[in-house]
Amino acid sequence: MSEPSVEQRFARARANDDLVVLEGFHALKHALRFEAELELVVTSDGEGLERLARDLAPDLAGRLGTLAQPIAPERLAGLAARAPRTQVLAIAHRRPFDPAALSPRPIVLLEDPRDLGNVGAVVRVAAAADVAAVLTTGTVDPWDAAALRGSAGLHYALPVAPLDGLDLSPRPLLALDPEGEPLRPAELPRDAVLAFGTERHGLSDELLARADRRIRIPMRPGVSSLNLATSVAAVLFAWLLADS
Ligand SMILES: C[S@@+](CC[C@H](N)C(=O)[O-])C[C@H]1O[C@@H](n2cnc3c(N)ncnc32)[C@H](O)[C@@H]1O
């Protein structure tokens, strides 16, 4: 039997729950830094890739050029809905989620997020704040290629997974809600589950009823809410700075 083509391998990776597609230099850079298991890397600009590595990720210089398989630009363009400007794509294994390995730091819980760009931005800021995990409910796959693009590959820096009925007790559940009590970052429990609601409707009544507390980020009168990823960033960094 003949070897599958690069096109077949990317099509299969997009349909396979254990594999993900990394689009662009930054996603690949973080995947490598956080030890993702790579299946295939292709580029239509090997020299440009090495230059980027030398300029932006000297720790990976020399490694990317040898890792990436050359491919014609028109073939690379056919492998993604939006070919990355950095002309590099990769297939990697999704990092399995081990609930037993969660650190005692806060968990970000996104209830039914809809915008994959938001999910990616949340993973990115959660990785920077070094929290225990980003977990999601609802139908979107938090490892979708668009979310990985938004996180610049930082899904490999911390556990990211669907909640899937996992019981997070006895961690306190804090609901971030514009109607809550004012945020006091220094008082946030270190192991809290910080729950953020869906973009249009906010948190569900069910989650609000289960929450130990509701907390609001202060806003100027007249502003109804912050963007989902912005609100995660505000809370995590308020907590981090108060804790340092
Ligand atoms: C775009 S907002 C949802 C807006 C929705 N209409 C509402 O009133 O909740 C998405 C999520 O970001 C969080 N959020 C946004 N602004 C917030 C604020 N000022 N205080 C606390 N949470 C906020 C909440 O978790 C909210 O469910």
Side-chain angles (χ1 to χ4, degrees):
M1 218 167 48
S2 62
E3 285 281 299
S5 65
V6 168
E7 284 77 2
Q8 284 169 327
R9 291 181 72 181
F10 272 85
R12 285 176 196 173
R14 289 189 193 279
N16 182 331
D17 284 347
D18 297 327
L19 296 174
V20 295
V21 173
L22 302 173
E23 302 181 354
F25 171 78
H26 295 287
L28 178 60
K29 171 189 77 180
H30 284 129
L32 282 168
R33 275 202 190 132
F34 291 98
E35 296 167 6
E37 196 188 330
L38 295 172
E39 277 272 305
L40 176 67
V41 182
V42 292
T43 183
S44 55
D45 182 9
E47 279 179 23
L49 189 58
E50 257 312 311
R51 223 174 13 253
L52 278 173
R54 275 198 308 276
D55 291 349
L56 303 174
D59 51 315
L60 302 175
R63 199 161 150 210
L64 283 176
T66 45
L67 200 68
Q69 195 171 299
I71 188 170
E74 55 280 10
R75 282 184 72 194
L76 185 118
L79 298 176
R82 227 166 17 110
R85 271 188 304 117
T86 49
Q87 301 288 307
V88 62
L89 292 168
I91 298 174
H93 286 266
R94 184 190 287 238
R95 173 93 17 105
F97 174 54
D98 176 5
L102 286 174
S103 79
R105 289 170 69 81
I107 289 176
V108 173
L109 174 63
L110 302 182
E111 191 184 37
D112 197 13
R114 304 294 171 90
D115 182 314
L116 289 163
N118 263 339
V119 174
V122 167
V123 170
R124 190 169 182 169
V125 75
D130 196 14
V131 302
V134 174
L135 303 177
T136 60
T137 68
T139 51
V140 302
D141 175 9
W143 280 80
D144 187 283
L148 272 157
R149 195 165 174 148
S151 79
L154 282 162
H155 282 61
Y156 289 99
L158 78 172
V160 177
L163 181 68
D164 254 351
L166 179 69
D167 179 6
L168 295 172
S169 62
R171 290 175 181 254
L173 175 62
L174 307 189
L176 273 296
D177 178 47
E179 307 290 311
E181 61 188 92
L183 171 67
R184 289 190 196 82
E187 292 173 17
L188 288 180
R190 283 184 65 86
D191 63 344
V193 177
L194 302 169
F196 296 83
T198 193
E199 287 87 344
R200 182 161 306 175
H201 302 297
L203 286 163
S204 66
D205 291 344
E206 191 210 337
L207 194 142
L208 288 170
R210 277 197 292 123
D212 296 294
R213 280 163 60 197
R214 294 186 195 187
I215 294 173
R216 88 176 126 85
I217 305 161
M219 294 182 299
R220 176 183 173 178
V223 178
S224 8
S225 69
L226 297 170
N227 156 274
L228 171 59
T230 308
S231 65
V232 175
V235 174
L236 292 186
F237 276 84
W239 167 73
L240 205 60
L241 293 170
D243 200 46
S244 61

